């Protein structure tokens, strides 16, 4: 019998560890990195808690040392995918009937494990698989991942406690049912924490989930699955199914029991999946919820009153941390002519400093690793070459690249006289930044230009000391960013503080790590009881 009324769970962000030489966290992480590099992992598909090996495998490689293979993973074929759907549906009734306090306890336990004994493992896999530095891995696969798990538990209890008004005669209550059917989660390569949340958020709300991880992050995703298993997640609640995109579309996305899609990745892929669901709409048992956080073309807008030091630091960190592969990364910048000489000098100094810190992410001093794979390398290089060969642009810093050992691309800064230049408009998803200089008196015009240059609307910043300028920018740029920053870089959103998501073609803006996102995985039922009949 469970008859306790639990008060709100408290939430606090996970502290960031520093990994100083000789610190216990550093020693543990180094040991874990060595262990992973010296062994070969054989990653199965996991359905109903059972490991399946199809023998159809792909390799897990290290982007900054691409000859190094960490292991391989098995790819589910049509038969395994069908098994996964059946298992997910079978697991549903026991999971949705389990009292929510037990569901929450499993995810809070996963958070405790990830914060403690699993921290080094999750960070090491993220560093090696996704080429993240100590700092970038720590803020992703440790802190943000733990925050998502704990925040969802906190937000769930808030939602469940929101109840309608009752009267003397009519007693009303809201039951927050999970969706009927199964949820399909598809994760991107760039954040282990996002992958964890794409499966964790629907599951904590009582849904069962099929998970297709990114082919570039299978190792770290597999460890997240094992983390849930270690925390006591029952079999079949999440099925781990690396598979080909075409099979995912044909078999999972079109299945009549699909109740929701939880996606993070590129705009084009999400649009494609939305079309598939649309074309199949008469075949589902419900209207599938489509939640997708997608691409961006994030900006920094400087006013003539901006503080040059904080502006330039924000541009460099925002554009080049994690090789520009954060969805929120800065990739277009607007600078007033009066500030340009000083801004340029400082930007080039800062860029020079980080160019010298590109390389092996296992060195504590490294600032940038490699980009994720050969396709990404070729795509980013094609933008650099486009700028190099254009009469409308000049590469004022970087522009070199080398994939002989790893997929390394220098931090690259392009200056253009065309505010609609290709690299001002399209998502590059790499360490390439484009700057446009405007005349000081054209600030308001330039705000409109910024607002109408890109099809995306994810993140953006305004830098100004002048309060009237800030107010103008906040208004003119209203629809350009779901996460808008004043005198700060547009990256580094923290769970519980700046819920994340954009608008326009950056996604459905359901704010990962918030009540808004959890509500998408629920279908509330209102129950009215007449007390006098
Ligand atoms: P991607 O779109 O290439 O892949 C994302 C996932 O979709 C992967 O698991 C991939 O295998 C899968 N996929 C690809 N084609 C598919 C298909 N036809 N059917 C089913 N699944 C398919 O994206 P990526 O390279 O992994 O990540 C980078 C992109 O993600 C960038 O555009 C970035 O802006 C975006 N992103 C956005 C956010 C956000 O919160 N808005 C966060 C992280 C990344």
């Amino acid at each position: 019998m469970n008859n306790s009324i639990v008060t709100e769970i408290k939430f606090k962000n996970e502290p960031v560890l520093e990994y100083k030489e000789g610190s216990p966290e550093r020693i543990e992480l180094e040991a874990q990195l060595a262990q992973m590099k010296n062994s070969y992992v054989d990653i199965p598909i996991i359905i109903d808690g059972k490991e399946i090996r199809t023998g159809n495998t792909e390799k897990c490689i290290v982007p900054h040392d691409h000859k190094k293979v960490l292991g391989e993973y098995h790819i589910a074929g049509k038969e395994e995918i069908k098994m996964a759907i059946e298992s997910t549906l079978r697991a549903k009734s026991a999971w949705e009937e389990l009292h929510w306090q037990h569901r929450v306890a499993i995810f809070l336990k996963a958070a405790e494990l990830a914060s403690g004994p699993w921290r080094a493992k999750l960070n090491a896999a993220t560093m090696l698989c996704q080429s993240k530095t100590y700092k970038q891995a720590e803020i992703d696969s440790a802190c943000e991942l733990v925050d998502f798990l704990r925040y969802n538990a906190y937000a769930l209890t808030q939602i469940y406690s929101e109840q309608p008004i009752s009267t003397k005669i009519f007693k009303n209550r809201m039951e927050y049912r999970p969706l009927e059917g199964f949820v399909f989660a598809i994760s991107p390569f760039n954040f282990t924490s996002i992958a964890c949340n794409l499966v964790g958020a629907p599951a904590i709300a009582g849904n069962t989930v099929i998970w297709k991880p990114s082919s570039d992050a299978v190792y770290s995703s597999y460890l997240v699955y094992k983390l849930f298993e270690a925390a006591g997640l029952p079999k079949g609640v999440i099925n781990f199914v690396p598979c080909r995109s075409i099979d995912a579309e044909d078999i999972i996305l079109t299945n009549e029991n699909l109740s929701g899609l939880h996606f993070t990745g590129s705009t084009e892929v999400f649009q494609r999946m939305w079309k598939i669901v649309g074309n199949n709409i008469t075949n589902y048992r419900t209207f599938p919820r489509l939640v997708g956080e997608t691409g961006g073309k994030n900006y920094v807008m400087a006013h003539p009153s901006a503080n040059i030091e904080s502006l330039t630091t924000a541009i460099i960190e925002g554009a080049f941390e994690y090789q520009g592969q954060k969805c929120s990364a800065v990739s277009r910048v607007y600078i007033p002519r009066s500030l340009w000489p000083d801004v340029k000098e400082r930007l080039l100094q800062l860029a020079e400093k980080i160019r010298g810190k590109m390389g092996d992410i296992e060195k504590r001093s490294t600032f940038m690793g490699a980009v994720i794979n050969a396709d990404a390398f070729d795509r980013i290089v094609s933008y650099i070459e486009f700028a190099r060969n254009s009469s409308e642009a000049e590469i004022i810093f970087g522009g070199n690249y080398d994939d002989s050992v790893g997929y390394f691309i220098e931090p690259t800064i392009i200056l253009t006289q065309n505010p609609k230049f290709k690299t001002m408009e399209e998502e590059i998803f790499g360490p390439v930044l484009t700057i446009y200089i405007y005349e000081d008196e054209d600030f308001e015009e330039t705000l409109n230009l910024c607002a109408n240059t890109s099809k995306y609307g994810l993140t953006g910043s305004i830098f100004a000391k002048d309060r009237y300028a800030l107010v103008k920018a906040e208004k003119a740029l209203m629809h350009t960013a779901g996460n808008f920053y004043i005198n700060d870089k547009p990256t580094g959103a923290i769970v519980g503080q700046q819920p994340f998501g954009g608008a326009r073609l950056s996604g459905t803006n359901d704010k990962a790590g918030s009540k808004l996102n959890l509500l998408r995985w629920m279908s509330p039922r209102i129950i009215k009881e007449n007390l006098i009949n």
Side-chain angles (χ1 to χ4, degrees), residues 184-191 194 198 211-217 243-250 253 261 263-270 272-273 276 292-298 324-329 372-373 376 379 427-429 456 458-459 500-502 505-508 512:
F184 185 23
I186 303 183
S187 49
F189 78 83
N190 66 339
F191 275 85
I194 291 180
L198 286 167
W211 180 10
K212 189 197 105 43
S214 163
S215 50
D216 291 307
C243 63
R244 305 258 179 240
S245 297
I246 187 74
D247 290 336
E249 289 179 357
D250 287 354
L253 216 48
L261 170 66
F263 173 82
T264 297
S266 59
T267 299
E268 294 69 26
V269 170
F270 189 50
R272 187 183 155 90
M273 291 191 289
I276 292 171
E293 302 307 330
T294 58
K297 188 70 193 170
N298 313 300
Q325 297 174 120
K326 295 186 184 183
C327 40
S328 53
I372 193 71
N373 59 28
R379 187 191 63 240
E427 183 179 50
I428 302 171
F429 219 59
Y456 300 106
L458 192 50
T459 75
F500 195 77
L505 294 186
S506 289
T508 52

Side-chain angles (χ1 to χ4, degrees), residues 451-466:
N452 295 306
T453 291
S454 157
K455 62 183 182 183
Y456 300 106
L458 192 50
T459 75
S461 300
I462 170 73
F463 278 79
K465 285 186 217 142
D466 179 334

Side-chain angles (χ1 to χ4, degrees), residues 80-117:
E80 292 78 26
I81 294 176
K82 286 179 191 153
M83 280 165 60
I85 294 175
E86 280 160 25
S87 153
T88 312
L89 291 170
R90 244 191 341 266
K92 181 68 191 306
S93 64
W95 181 240
E96 76 177 4
E97 277 164 26
L98 186 69
H99 194 282
W100 65 267
Q101 286 175 31
H102 291 287
R103 272 191 264 129
V104 160
I106 290 169
F107 287 92
L108 288 177
K109 180 164 182 183
E112 284 314 299
L113 292 173
S115 158

